[in-house]
Amino acid sequence: MGTFLEKNWFKLAVGVILVAMIASFAYKLLANGGKPDERLTAMKAAPSFNLKDLDGKTVTSQDMNGKVQLVYFFYSFCPDVCLPTSYILSQVQDELKKKDLLGAKAQILSITVDPTRDTPEVLKAFGNRFESKPVPGGWTFLRGEESQVAKLAEDFGIMVIKEKDGNFSHSNAILLVDPKGQLRNYYDASNPELTVDHIVKDVVTLSKGK
């Protein structure tokens, strides 16, 4: 019983923290008249990582230097939020392609929290649902050891809890990292008011070195 209560208190606490952080960004947006330079104030250095892409090649945070990053922790067996959020990212991907930013100045990173089931083959099939014309280095799916990814998510401020049925509870947030590796924003991907244009505008702003 104690373990169950501790687990759920932890889930509640982390959820409250994330909501508070997202709310603080919304407040800054209103307080500063929506000026992107002020709203996207750097929070902290994004945590470093060393993961594998679907071809088994090592991808590190240093490889992302000079690019705006949209980071999303997910898993393909997710029964609810991961699929629609990945669809949002696919729309962001299409808009960044049109602006010739994807791959050159911007990168989408989807990191699975469920590497046991999310094999490279499974993730390639999942990614093919969204990438009709992949851009090299544009949208990358990454894997690592389960404990390694859980720690990375925690360092980013994302809750990840493995449930008894093998699924995961996790914060459904897209993270925005600037070209210098500074964390700039959390987007609540479950918020119906979040738009593709909003995300793309922020990526464009940061790609200009703002």
Side-chain angles (χ1 to χ4, degrees):
M1 180 65 72
T3 301
F4 175 80
L5 290 175
E6 289 172 4
K7 177 180 176 182
N8 283 276
W9 271 111
F10 175 74
K11 290 170 65 175
L12 177 61
V14 175
V16 168
I17 291 171
L18 181 61
V19 169
M21 293 175 72
I22 293 171
S24 71
F25 280 108
Y27 172 78
K28 285 197 295 181
L29 173 60
L30 295 174
N32 293 308
K35 297 178 181 178
D37 290 352
E38 295 173 341
R39 179 171 54 79
L40 296 176
T41 302
M43 299 174 56
K44 64 175 183 178
S48 60
F49 61 84
N50 187 315
L51 301 169
K52 299 286 186 181
D53 68 13
L54 301 188
D55 294 318
K57 297 178 180 178
T58 298
V59 177
T60 71
S61 46
Q62 287 71 32
D63 295 330
M64 300 298 109
N65 289 342
K67 293 184 181 182
V68 181
Q69 304 155 55
L70 291 169
V71 182
Y72 182 52
F73 290 88
F74 85 112
Y75 66 110
S76 70
F77 291 85
C78 178
D80 39 50
V81 296
C82 295
L83 188 61
T85 302
S86 294
Y87 177 66
I88 291 173
L89 289 174
S90 74
Q91 294 178 299
V92 171
Q93 169 193 234
D94 292 342
E95 293 303 312
L96 293 178
K97 283 180 182 178
K98 293 176 184 178
K99 298 179 182 298
D100 294 323
L101 291 176
L102 192 68
K105 293 188 176 182
Q107 180 104 12
I108 300 173
L109 300 173
S110 289
I111 304 173
T112 178
V113 300
D114 187 12
T116 300
R117 292 186 293 179
D118 279 342
T119 64
E121 292 72 26
V122 168
L123 290 182
K124 284 179 182 179
F126 183 84
N128 286 339
R129 301 171 69 175
F130 304 104
E131 295 185 285
S132 56
K133 296 181 180 179
V135 173
W139 188 352
T140 302
F141 288 81
L142 298 174
R143 303 172 70 253
E145 296 296 326
E146 186 176 309
S147 59
Q148 174 192 15
V149 174
K151 180 61 168 60
L152 178 61
E154 179 184 350
D155 290 344
F156 263 110
I158 296 297
M159 174 200 75
V160 176
I161 296 175
K162 189 171 185 177
E163 305 291 356
K164 291 182 178 180
D165 62 2
N167 286 329
F168 293 79
S169 295
H170 64 95
S171 307
N172 192 40
I174 300 170
L175 311 170
L176 178 68
V177 180
D178 72 19
K180 295 181 179 180
Q182 295 293 308
L183 184 59
R184 293 295 193 105
N185 208 349
Y186 289 79
Y187 301 108
D188 179 2
S190 297
N191 183 349
E193 295 184 4
L194 177 66
T195 66
V196 170
D197 288 344
H198 182 121
I199 297 173
V200 171
K201 181 179 179 181
D202 288 348
V203 172
V204 170
T205 295
L206 294 183
S207 71
K208 296 177 180 178
K210 299 297 181 69

